[in-house]
Amino acid sequence: MTTRNSIPKVLFIGDIIGRPGRRAVRELLPELKKELGVNLVIANGENAAGGFGLTQSVVEEILNAGVDVITTGNHVWDKKEVLEILRSDEYPVLRPYNYPPGVPGRGFIVLDSLIVANFQGRIFMVPIDCPFTRMDEMLALLASEDKPILVDFHAEATSEKLAFAYYFDGRVSAVFGTHTHVPTADERILPKGTAYITDVGMTGPANSIIGMSPDKVIKRFLTGMPVKFEVAKGEVVLQGIVVEIDPISKKAISIKRIQRTLAPS
């Protein structure tokens, strides 16, 4: 008999933005885990080091704060030292699976109770390998694994995210959209049992333009000139999603958005 305690309950934290985002995870996550009763935490960390990329110290800080798996996206390559992190099995850090063969890193990780995978879209982004066909390939590779599969789909276009989720509805347990940093209000369980949301949101400065200082972003729009973006300051928001998975059917039982705020330091 499946007991309530054996049902995987996962917290997925939206894209961590720089120092403010890391602070939010560090200070809010311990109590959040107790409150929600989650037994696994996943976070997208591709913007965690100064707003762009990852470093070893940042990865260790996030893991020490209570995150179990770090997913990424197109900004994963922004700090060169990430290559050594991705080449090592020591850190549970993923990069999108659909980068071409030979690219450093892994696109999924098999844990005791479930599998976490990472894919990247192609619309309005670097046109890497097709996420649909590469996901089919990954599912064939994992056919002997009788575990729920949760996917961070890092993509820009809503249509691509929805198409990906419906194509794999019933074949994976959850598809969490990331990348745009703005949470959507469409969390639901699709007809065949896959939990879905178009975008989880972000964990970073609340008074910002997707995590960055508004004045810098506005200047770029007004002038069309290159501008060095800076992570904003002030109040911090942690946004995420909590999903429960039936370990027998591998279907989602529930999906719920969460948001917490942290006063400026």
Side-chain angles (χ1 to χ4, degrees):
M1 177 181 293
T2 300
T3 65
R4 190 68 178 175
N5 290 336
S6 66
I7 295 175
K9 191 173 185 182
V10 179
L11 169 62
F12 187 100
I13 297 174
D15 305 38
I16 300 171
I17 312 297
R19 189 185 301 273
R22 302 198 312 268
R23 173 178 165 250
V25 172
R26 190 172 63 249
E27 296 187 18
L28 295 174
L29 184 55
E31 285 302 316
L32 201 53
K33 289 171 72 172
K34 293 178 184 178
E35 174 192 336
L36 300 173
V38 297
N39 41 40
L40 186 82
V41 180
I42 308 166
N44 187 293
E46 70 152 8
N47 299 118
F52 302 95
L54 281 168
T55 63
Q56 181 176 333
S57 62
V58 164
V59 166
E60 291 174 348
E61 180 182 347
I62 294 171
L63 296 176
N64 288 336
V67 173
D68 298 293
V69 179
I70 299 173
T71 56
T72 60
N74 56 305
H75 283 296
V76 67
W77 316 110
D78 289 359
K79 299 286 192 295
K80 297 303 182 185
E81 68 178 274
V82 80
L83 295 177
E84 293 306 313
I85 296 170
L86 294 175
R87 289 190 181 106
S88 171
D89 290 334
E90 179 182 354
Y91 299 107
V93 178
L94 305 180
R95 52 86 172 155
Y97 184 85
N98 57 312
Y99 274 94
V103 171
R106 51 182 167 168
F108 67 85
I109 186 169
V110 179
L111 304 174
D112 291 339
S113 58
L114 49 79
I115 297 167
V116 181
N118 198 176
F119 282 80
Q120 183 173 308
R122 298 191 296 177
I123 298 177
F124 308 126
M125 300 184 77
V126 175
I128 57 177
D129 292 351
C130 175
F132 295 83
T133 57
R134 291 297 303 276
M135 181 71 179
D136 275 331
E137 170 193 298
M138 193 200 79
L139 290 178
L141 184 66
L142 296 172
S144 63
E145 295 284 353
D146 187 30
K147 297 177 179 180
I149 300 174
L150 283 70
V151 183
D152 174 349
F153 189 47
H154 197 78
E156 182 78 32
T158 298
S159 59
E160 188 177 24
K161 292 179 179 182
L162 281 163
F164 185 89
Y166 273 103
Y167 182 64
F168 292 106
D169 184 20
R171 292 195 280 166
V172 301
S173 301
V175 174
F176 303 127
T178 61
H179 180 63
T180 63
H181 297 189
V182 178
T184 53
D186 62 340
E187 72 277 10
R188 62 191 184 273
I189 297 176
L190 300 180
K192 297 178 183 178
T194 296
Y196 172 77
I197 185 168
T198 298
D199 203 281
V200 177
M202 71 169 191
T203 298
N207 297 312
S208 70
I209 297 176
I210 61 173
M212 299 295 134
S213 295
D215 59 332
K216 301 291 185 181
V217 180
I218 291 169
K219 182 177 180 180
R220 181 169 175 177
F221 277 112
L222 289 174
T223 66
M225 298 294 290
V227 176
K228 183 179 180 181
F229 291 162
E230 297 176 356
V231 176
K233 304 182 187 305
E235 184 180 69
V236 184
V237 63
L238 184 153
Q239 296 168 332
I241 207 85
V242 178
V243 63
E244 291 183 274
I245 308 294
D246 187 311
I248 305 301
S249 68
K250 314 300 182 296
K251 295 182 179 182
I253 298 171
S254 66
I255 179 170
K256 180 181 179 181
R257 272 181 294 147
I258 64 105
Q259 179 167 310
R260 299 291 184 274
T261 57
L262 191 64
S265 57

